[in-house]
Amino acid sequence: MQKIALPICMLLLCASSLAQAGRQAALKVQACDKWLPDSTNDVTVVNFTFRHATKLSLGDKKKITQEIKRNKDPCGNLKEDVDEIAERVRQTYMERGYFKALVSDPEITVLGQNTKQSLINVIISVEEGRQYRLQDISFTGVTAFPVADLRTQFPIDAGDIFNTDKVRMGLENLRRVYGASGFINSIPVPDTKIDEATGLISLVIAVDEGGLFHYGKLIVNGVESQPGAREKLLKAWQAYQGTPTMARLSKNSCATSTPAPM
């Protein structure tokens, strides 16, 4: 059984690295101030052609093109956005289990232009690869919670299509669970192992729990907004002092939090 480990950045849907040097000059289109991506009478028409994209439905392709048109203005240098366009297509594939799909830099050309309308053609070529499913999810470095409880934070079951968006949701859920219990510096690090013989992916989450933090003393400086305000605030803070720090409060808390031994 052959297993292949892929870089973490593929799982986290990282955008492509730095834009390639020597991009072609900006496309010049007419009447840029009248660009209406949702209109049937656009003065600038962008036509998308997908090559070898047999696994995407017409609905998928339409959704991708609509999102690109909403966020990319051809009145600028559309050629500088090819990395983001390719990444959006690859993300769609990865959400459908095509974890190793490769998307080439889109080919962008001006097909025609006159005083009324410009026509831009965008060709997107894809190497789809095979579709993968989830084998299992395991954890390392976990001491603060039962592993079974952490597993429930991932909305994907064994045997399901390996959907990277659901994996991302699970990682966010882990951060919230740890952060709400005082582990405000916890970091879940995912890794994947692919079994090409079966088309299954095992997901291993290495959790760096960090230290457990508690709310410390509250120090109030400055002039009171009204008499007795300082005393009321200090009294209210007593309910928090010594309890685990919650991540959402720690961002703006004026108290000092001190790490406690595990």
Side-chain angles (χ1 to χ4, degrees):
M1 181 181 296
Q2 182 182 10
K3 295 188 176 181
I4 303 176
L6 290 184
I8 293 174
C9 65
M10 292 189 67
L11 179 61
L12 297 181
L13 308 179
C14 296
S16 302
S17 56
L18 297 176
Q20 298 177 3
R23 296 278 191 214
Q24 300 182 35
L27 295 171
K28 295 181 179 179
V29 297
Q30 299 292 336
C32 281
D33 57 331
K34 297 180 181 178
W35 165 249
L36 302 173
D38 295 322
S39 171
T40 57
N41 298 312
D42 291 344
V43 295
T44 302
V45 177
V46 181
N47 177 59
F48 290 86
T49 301
F50 292 84
R51 289 179 176 172
H52 315 301
T54 61
K55 305 303 182 182
L56 291 183
S57 66
L58 292 177
D60 290 334
K61 295 175 183 177
K62 182 178 180 180
K63 182 179 179 181
I64 291 172
T65 57
Q66 287 177 338
E67 289 182 358
I68 294 173
K69 290 179 70 176
R70 279 197 299 267
N71 296 300
K72 303 304 173 188
D73 185 352
C75 299
N77 190 348
L78 192 62
K79 291 182 182 297
E80 292 183 350
D81 298 323
V82 293
D83 288 334
E84 294 182 32
I85 294 174
E87 184 63 24
R88 179 65 191 90
V89 176
R90 192 171 74 90
Q91 180 180 339
T92 299
Y93 270 98
M94 296 181 74
E95 291 172 358
R96 286 154 180 75
Y98 296 92
F99 190 65
K100 297 171 70 174
L102 299 176
V103 182
S104 302
D105 278 355
E107 304 171 26
I108 304 175
T109 56
V110 177
L111 297 181
Q113 185 169 308
N114 53 47
T115 58
K116 293 183 178 180
Q117 190 176 76
S118 298
L119 177 60
I120 297 176
N121 192 40
V122 179
I123 300 177
I124 302 174
S125 300
V126 183
E127 293 182 27
E128 296 177 316
R130 70 181 297 175
Q131 188 181 56
Y132 295 90
R133 292 181 177 273
L134 176 68
Q135 183 171 28
D136 55 39
I137 299 178
S138 58
F139 301 84
T140 62
V142 174
T143 61
F145 301 97
V147 169
D149 290 348
L150 298 184
R151 177 63 180 86
T152 63
Q153 302 304 315
F154 288 78
I156 181 173
D157 297 323
D160 288 352
I161 290 174
F162 192 82
N163 184 328
T164 54
D165 188 52
K166 291 183 177 180
V167 172
R168 178 191 59 78
M169 292 170 59
L171 294 173
E172 289 298 322
N173 289 340
L174 286 187
R175 295 186 185 97
R176 282 194 290 269
V177 168
Y178 270 93
S181 298
F183 296 89
I184 59 177
N185 290 332
S186 66
I187 302 176
V189 181
D191 191 18
T192 56
K193 298 184 183 301
I194 298 181
D195 186 342
E196 293 291 356
T198 61
L200 297 176
I201 295 180
S202 294
L203 181 64
V204 180
I205 310 295
V207 182
D208 181 357
E209 295 183 323
L212 174 60
F213 287 76
H214 293 85
Y215 291 119
K217 293 182 178 180
L218 177 64
I219 300 175
V220 181
N221 295 318
V223 180
E224 292 181 302
S225 59
Q226 58 185 16
R230 177 184 288 104
E231 186 63 29
K232 290 180 180 179
L233 185 57
L234 291 174
K235 184 176 181 180
W237 184 256
Q238 291 177 1
Y240 294 95
Q241 187 169 328
T243 64
T245 304
M246 298 182 68
R248 63 174 180 269
L249 182 57
S250 67
K251 293 179 180 179
N252 299 309
S253 175
C254 56
T256 56
S257 298
T258 54
M262 296 295 295

